[in-house]
Amino acid sequence: MPPAATPPEGIYLRDLYDPRRRISREYFPAFALLLGVTPIMIFFGVPTVLSVLANKRPGDGLLFGHEPMAIAPYFFTPLFVAHGYVLVVVSINRMRAAGKSPGWLLVPGYNLWLLFTAPDSA
């Protein structure tokens, strides 16, 4: 039987969308920080970007015929759904690296202990 694959060294974009990867305990805090800051960036960044785009257009400062803040909620839902998907995938990847079942994500508290402190399986 071949030995279990060790988590790849480094941080890769593929770790954010592929649930068959492994994230080492060494790199998981960087992912946790990224996923913790992302909702703030979405909530404040989308209206800011829309306002900047509306003000760059000549004329009335409208974007698609509406105030930027009126259309910002239409961008929130898909972005927060994508964020939720990435959050689940990164957690599954960390659980796989720790050698635990992704089902442990359903146990409050214990899953956080596993995500941050469980050693990587060999």
Side-chain angles (χ1 to χ4, degrees), residues 34-69:
L34 171 71
L35 294 174
V37 172
T38 303
I40 298 167
M41 293 181 350
I42 292 171
F43 188 75
F44 291 110
V46 168
T48 303
V49 168
L50 293 175
S51 295
V52 167
L53 291 175
N55 290 331
K56 288 193 182 253
R57 296 182 64 227
D60 51 12
L62 298 177
L63 190 63
F64 307 119
H66 301 283
E67 290 287 329
M69 286 304 292

Side-chain angles (χ1 to χ4, degrees), residues 16 18 29 33 36 47 77 101 117-118:
L16 297 176
D18 186 359
L33 180 64
T77 302
S101 167
T117 62

Side-chain angles (χ1 to χ4, degrees), residues 1 6 17 19 26 32 37 39 46-47 64 69 72 81 93 98 105 109 113:
M1 184 171 169
T6 59
Y17 64 86
E26 178 183 3
V37 172
V46 168
F64 307 119
M69 286 304 292
V81 167
N93 288 343
L105 290 172
W113 179 81

